[in-house]
């Protein structure tokens, strides 16, 4: 394709589904691959693992520094840095394609490095 599939709207996926309905009715399993897979895959809505990691880091830093300020400062800086990194990643994703796990990896690695 000559366009990034992320720029297409949900109506395009609906058109793809309509075009392949006759095959589905004949028993053929239709799966979208490549960039179209990103359009049709449900978006994850589970942020609990990140919250648990953040809470554990807070407890560890409170024990290590024995100071609320000393514990919150690295967490706050890590949080701001991760937000900037994810925003940059989102901007770059409009130009390039990369794996769907990239934002999750960036978040976890960014928090880990920021806390360390």
């Amino acid at each position: 394709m000559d366009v990034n599939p992320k720029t297409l709207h949900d109506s395009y996926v609906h058109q793809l589904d309509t075009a392949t309905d006759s095959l589905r009715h004949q028993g053929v399993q239709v799966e979208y691959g490549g960039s179209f897979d990103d359009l049709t895959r449900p978006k994850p809505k589970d942020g609990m693992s990140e919250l648990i990691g953040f809470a554990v880091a807070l407890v560890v830093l409170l024990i290590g520094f024995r100071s609320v300020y000393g514990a919150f400062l690295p967490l706050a800086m890590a949080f701001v840095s991760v937000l900037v990194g994810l925003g940059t990643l989102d901007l770059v994703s409009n130009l390039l394609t990369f794996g769907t796990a990239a934002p999750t990896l960036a978040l976890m690695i960014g928090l880990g490095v920021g806390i360390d």
Side-chain angles (χ1 to χ4, degrees), residues 12-95:
Y12 191 79
V13 175
H14 179 68
Q15 291 174 356
L16 284 174
D17 287 336
T18 304
T20 57
D21 274 342
S22 62
L23 290 172
R24 285 191 178 106
H25 291 303
Q26 294 175 6
V28 176
Q29 182 178 350
V30 177
E31 299 288 336
Y32 303 117
S35 300
F36 288 114
D37 185 41
D38 295 341
L39 290 175
T40 58
R41 183 181 306 142
K43 305 291 185 240
K45 295 178 181 160
D46 178 26
M48 189 56 78
S49 61
E50 287 87 359
L51 289 176
I52 291 171
F54 205 75
V56 169
L58 177 62
V59 169
V60 169
L61 289 173
L62 282 172
I63 291 171
F65 288 136
R66 296 184 182 152
S67 164
V68 174
Y69 179 73
F72 277 110
L73 186 62
L75 288 177
M77 295 311 300
F79 185 71
V80 169
S81 299
V82 165
L83 286 179
V84 170
L86 288 176
T88 304
L89 193 61
D90 189 43
L91 289 173
V92 171
S93 72
N94 291 322
L95 302 173

Side-chain angles (χ1 to χ4, degrees), residues 86-116:
L86 288 176
T88 304
L89 193 61
D90 189 43
L91 289 173
V92 171
S93 72
N94 291 322
L95 302 173
L96 303 172
T97 57
F98 46 83
T100 56
T104 304
L105 288 173
L107 175 68
M108 297 310 290
I109 292 170
L111 281 178
V113 169
I115 291 168
D116 282 348

